[in-house]
Amino acid sequence: MSGRFAPTPSGRMHLGNAYAMLAAWLSARARGEEMRLRIEDIDVPRVMPGADAWIRDDLAWLGLDWSGDVVYQSRRTALYDEVFATLCDAGLLYPCFCSRAEIRAASAPQEGDRFIVYPGTCRRLHDEHPDEAAARVRAGERHAWRLAAPHAGAREGRILFDDRVYGAQDYDLGSALGDVVLRRSDGLYAYQFVVTLDDLLMGVDDIVRGRDLLRSTALQIWLRQRLLDCGIGGGSDGSGGDVRWTPAQTPDYAHLPLLDNAAGVRLAKRVRSLDLGHLREQGVRPQAVVGYCAWALGLVERPRAMDAPEALACFDWRRARAVCGRDLKVPDDIGARLLAM
Ligand code: GLU
């Protein structure tokens, strides 16, 4: 059983990524578990060549170690193909021919995080005219593949889980997420599919990440169960090693408040001033970054330099829970503050 770092190599890690990585490492280590490193480079257009080497280097610099081989999603396509075919055979997927504009036009406006619930156009086509849908696929019409999730309000689509930071969660899959895409029309596998499968196959039972993925967790819990129902994930940890974990067990989840800049905008990799490359060039020490992130996690009263083992000594999810509800604003002069730490 393990925790995991699951970065997307789309640029240099910034302070917000370091904070999420530290939290994931502390959580797994506090449970006496190992960390795995999985490079989520499946979304090829977003990948920046060389960013995976930065990630490995920055994690090592922060003193956050991992075990085993680094898993690259881009090298697992044959495995994804096989599992995808199994899900297809189980009747869990259907082809979707809608364009983005069509989906947007047919959708009820969503609040908050711009998540658009698919209005079900091609699900109806698939249910009512399966031959027509199959013929359009055979004819080579551009299509994505969607997961046929429980309908809104269906009993089997109610997902309850306890988040270690945000507490009890209660989602109705059909209305909160709907039929998400598992394979895009450009042929690439989608985040929700590969992340759920890889967490299952890698024996990950401790998942720590930003609160923007809280809602996705409901879907991943459901999809994980469907994978298990299809006999996937029961016999191997994906690396040929022994199986010492109970795959049916749902992982423990913790979602973190996000780090914003001083203007209240979420930190982004394209803004260089808070990326680790820039901070390191300025002479900032890893202990300053770890100490600042430990403070952001609620582990200490005031930011002060410390290394990762020292942060581990004060780690407790109850402390992180006490600071949830405040997304943290990183001040503009953070570079200078970290340098002085
Ligand atoms: N690769 C995703 C990201 O960098 C994180 C996925 C996850 O933690 O589930 O945002």
Side-chain angles (χ1 to χ4, degrees):
M1 310 223 255
S2 65
R4 41 69 151 192
F5 298 119
T8 302
S10 56
R12 190 84 188 227
M13 289 209 282
H14 55 58
L15 207 54
N17 303 125
Y19 150 87
M21 301 286 166
L22 174 68
W25 185 89
L26 292 172
S27 179
R29 284 283 184 255
R31 291 154 66 110
E33 294 189 348
E34 296 184 334
M35 283 302 281
R36 301 292 308 274
L37 172 57
R38 182 172 72 231
I39 301 289
E40 305 217 314
D41 56 353
I42 194 81
D43 187 355
V44 182
R46 281 184 65 205
V47 170
M48 178 188 281
D52 63 309
W54 277 335
I55 289 166
R56 290 197 309 265
D57 188 57
D58 286 335
L59 286 173
W61 181 77
L62 289 165
L64 307 181
D65 58 346
W66 65 89
S67 333
D69 292 335
V70 180
V71 171
Y72 284 83
Q73 290 186 323
S74 59
R75 299 178 194 164
R76 288 162 75 80
T77 317
L79 169 74
Y80 300 151
D81 285 343
E82 209 179 296
V83 174
F84 185 80
T86 306
L87 291 182
C88 228
D89 291 345
L92 286 162
L93 307 176
Y94 65 88
C96 174
F97 308 95
C98 295
S99 67
R100 260 178 225 212
E102 283 164 345
I103 295 170
R104 228 176 290 121
S107 301
Q110 283 289 302
E111 289 161 35
D113 52 8
R114 287 181 301 157
F115 202 102
I116 292 185
V117 175
Y118 180 61
T121 322
C122 286
R123 175 129 177 207
R124 285 187 289 278
L125 173 74
H126 179 72
D127 288 348
E128 290 161 22
H129 308 282
D131 296 344
E132 184 192 329
R136 286 171 71 177
V137 169
R138 273 197 308 277
E141 189 172 334
R142 194 176 169 86
H143 62 280
W145 287 91
R146 290 185 181 274
L147 183 64
H151 290 291
R155 208 167 53 89
E156 67 275 20
R158 181 147 182 232
I159 307 289
L160 306 171
F161 64 97
D162 195 35
D163 185 77
R164 282 168 287 171
V165 175
Y166 286 95
Q169 304 295 314
D170 183 347
Y171 283 95
D172 174 51
L173 269 195
S175 54
L177 288 118
D179 294 348
V180 300
V181 168
L182 293 202
R183 188 172 201 171
R184 299 168 9 178
S185 61
D186 59 8
L188 292 174
Y189 289 110
Y191 160 75
Q192 304 286 11
F193 173 55
V194 294
V195 85
T196 308
L197 178 61
D198 284 343
D199 282 337
L200 177 62
L201 295 182
M202 291 168 69
V204 170
D205 68 345
D206 185 22
I207 294 180
V208 179
R209 54 192 178 189
R211 75 159 161 75
D212 51 330
L213 290 168
L214 193 52
R215 173 204 301 246
S216 291
T217 296
L219 175 83
Q220 291 171 18
I221 289 172
W222 188 81
L223 178 56
R224 180 184 178 95
Q225 198 51 52
R226 300 291 76 73
L227 291 167
L228 288 164
D229 293 347
C230 290
I232 295 153
S236 151
D237 69 355
S239 63
D242 287 337
V243 183
R244 287 179 308 256
W245 47 286
T246 316
Q249 187 186 308
T250 303
D252 289 322
Y253 292 93
H255 291 81
L256 303 166
L258 302 175
L259 294 197
D260 295 339
N261 68 15
V265 179
R266 190 179 169 191
L267 298 191
K269 285 186 178 136
R270 57 181 185 283
V271 183
R272 274 227 62 201
S273 58
L274 291 179
D275 82 28
L276 294 186
H278 182 75
L279 295 174
R280 287 172 66 172
E281 276 161 28
Q282 305 296 298
V284 168
R285 297 184 307 138
Q287 293 83 354
V289 175
V290 168
Y292 182 82
C293 293
W295 166 76
L297 282 167
L299 304 185
V300 284
E301 299 247 312
R302 234 163 259 106
R304 65 177 166 82
M306 66 175 75
D307 57 18
E310 206 184 327
L312 183 55
C314 38
F315 178 74
D316 186 338
W317 276 122
R318 275 171 302 194
R319 295 212 172 110
R321 188 174 241 197
V323 299
C324 97
R326 65 158 164 93
D327 282 348
L328 208 80
K329 284 202 174 80
V330 177
D332 286 334
D333 63 347
I334 185 67
R337 291 189 195 207
L338 291 173
L339 259 180
M341 269 169 75

